[in-house]
C-alpha cells in the first residue's frame, strides 16, 4: 500500500461483515449518511472494571466531538476505530490490541497491557492495568455497521486523565447502579447496554475464578 494513501486523510479499516479486511476507507466517507450503516468497518471497544471497588467506569463524550451519534453522551470505558498508520514507507492498519492501547492512553491517560491468553490476564488482575479481548462480533443497527473487538479491562486505581478532548467526564458505578442507569436514563450511546451485558457475563464467569 506504499504511496497510495494520503498523509492528510484519516483512514479506517473497511471489512466484510465477518471481519475479513477489504482495505482502507476514509473516516469521513465511512461516516456519510447512508454509508455508515452500509459499509462495515473495524471498531475496538472495551469496558473498564476496578476490582477493588467492584465498579465499572464509563466516559462522557465531548459534546463538540463531531459525531452526532455520540456527542455529549455516556459511553463505554474506552473505544476507537482501527486506523491505518505509516510503518516505514508503507501503510498498515492497527489491530485491536494496538488500537485499545492507543485509545486508552489518549482518552483517559491509561497505560495498560493486553494479554493474549485468559490465564495470563487473570493472573495479572490487581497487579497491573490488564486487558483481554473476549469477544468479536458484528454490531449492526440502522445507523452503525461495525465489526467489533471487545475487551475487558481491569485497573488497579480509579485515576483518569483526559489527554485529548474526546472525553470530558468519567464516573464509576457498581453493576447494579449502571444497570439502573441504563434502564432509566436516555443520555448514553446505543451500544452501551449491550456491551455492559456482555461484560457482566464475562465478569461473572471468568473473574469469579480469580
Amino acid at each position: 500500500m506504499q504511496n497510495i494513501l494520503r498523509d492528510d486523510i484519516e483512514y479506517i479499516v473497511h471489512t466484510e461483515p465477518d471481519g475479513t479486511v477489504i482495505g482502507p476507507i476514509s473516516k469521513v466517507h465511512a461516516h456519510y449518511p447512508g454509508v455508515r450503516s452500509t459499509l462495515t468497518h473495524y471498531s475496538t471497544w472495551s469496558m473498564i472494571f476496578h476490582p477493588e471497588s467492584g465498579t465499572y467506569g464509563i466516559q462522557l463524550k465531548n459534546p463538540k466531538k463531531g459525531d452526532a451519534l455520540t456527542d455529549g453522551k455516556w459511553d463505554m470505558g474506552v473505544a476507537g476505530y482501527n486506523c491505518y498508520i505509516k510503518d516505514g514507507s508503507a501503510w498498515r492498519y492497527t489491530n485491536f490490541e494496538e488500537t485499545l492501547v492507543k485509545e486508552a492512553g489518549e482518552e483517559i491517560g491509561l497505560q495498560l497491557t493486553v494479554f493474549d491468553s485468559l490465564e495470563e490476564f487473570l493472573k495479572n488482575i490487581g497487579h497491573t492495568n490488564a486487558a483481554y479481548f473476549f469477544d468479536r462480533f458484528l454490531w449492526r443497527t440502522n445507523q452503525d455497521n461495525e465489526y467489533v473487538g471487545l475487551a475487558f479491562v481491569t485497573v488497579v486505581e480509579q485515576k483518569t486523565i483526559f489527554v485529548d478532548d474526546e472525553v470530558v467526564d468519567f464516573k464509576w458505578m457498581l453493576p447494579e447502579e449502571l444497570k439502573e442507569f441504563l434502564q432509566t436514563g436516555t443520555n448514553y450511546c446505543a451500544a452501551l447496554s449491550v456491551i455492559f451485558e456482555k461484560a457482566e457475563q464475562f465478569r461473572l464467569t471468568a473473574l469469579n475464578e480469580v
Side-chain angles (χ1 to χ4, degrees):
M1 207 168 294
Q2 185 174 356
N3 299 325
I4 295 177
L5 304 185
R6 289 171 46 179
D7 292 326
D8 60 337
I9 293 177
E10 182 178 4
Y11 296 94
I12 59 177
V13 187
H14 180 202
T15 75
E16 299 285 1
D18 65 358
T20 302
V21 174
I22 296 173
I25 184 173
S26 79
K27 183 178 177 180
V28 171
H29 178 71
H31 282 180
Y32 280 160
V35 176
R36 186 168 187 162
S37 61
T38 304
L39 299 184
T40 309
H41 55 270
Y42 272 173
S43 282
T44 299
W45 294 358
S46 72
M47 285 296 289
I48 296 178
F49 188 72
H50 182 240
E52 185 175 344
S53 65
T55 56
Y56 283 100
I58 59 174
Q59 61 169 261
L60 181 63
K61 295 288 190 181
N62 191 331
K64 301 178 181 178
K65 180 173 173 284
D67 187 338
L69 298 184
T70 63
D71 285 357
K73 295 181 179 180
W74 289 96
D75 200 4
M76 64 195 78
V78 167
Y81 298 111
N82 301 49
C83 297
Y84 278 80
I85 60 173
K86 264 289 187 59
D87 190 355
S89 60
W91 292 83
R92 67 173 180 85
Y93 64 85
T94 57
N95 60 30
F96 293 117
E97 292 78 9
E98 290 175 299
T99 303
L100 179 62
V101 170
K102 172 181 174 291
E103 295 296 334
E106 292 178 352
E107 291 184 353
I108 58 173
L110 177 65
Q111 305 302 310
L112 57 81
T113 301
V114 180
F115 293 93
D116 293 330
S117 76
L118 177 58
E119 180 181 4
E120 287 302 310
F121 167 71
L122 296 176
K123 285 181 181 178
N124 281 277
I125 291 177
H127 303 292
T128 188
N129 297 327
Y132 174 72
F133 280 87
F134 68 95
D135 199 3
R136 285 170 172 73
F137 62 96
L138 179 67
W139 168 254
R140 188 166 190 176
T141 69
N142 59 357
Q143 295 178 310
D144 284 311
N145 190 344
E146 305 179 10
Y147 187 82
V148 175
L150 177 59
F152 195 95
V153 178
T154 62
V155 295
V156 295
E157 59 180 348
Q158 294 174 304
K159 181 181 179 181
T160 54
I161 302 172
F162 307 143
V163 178
D164 58 18
D165 63 350
E166 286 198 43
V167 179
V168 294
D169 196 6
F170 200 91
K171 63 182 177 182
W172 298 91
M173 306 176 75
L174 292 168
E176 54 268 30
E177 293 174 330
L178 182 50
K179 183 178 181 180
E180 182 179 0
F181 171 75
L182 294 171
Q183 290 174 340
T184 60
T186 57
N187 189 39
Y188 56 84
C189 295
L192 182 55
S193 59
V194 173
I195 300 311
F196 169 62
E197 181 179 348
K198 286 178 174 288
E200 271 292 86
Q201 290 175 350
F202 175 79
R203 181 182 73 85
L204 293 173
T205 53
L207 268 67
N208 276 349
E209 301 176 4
V210 178

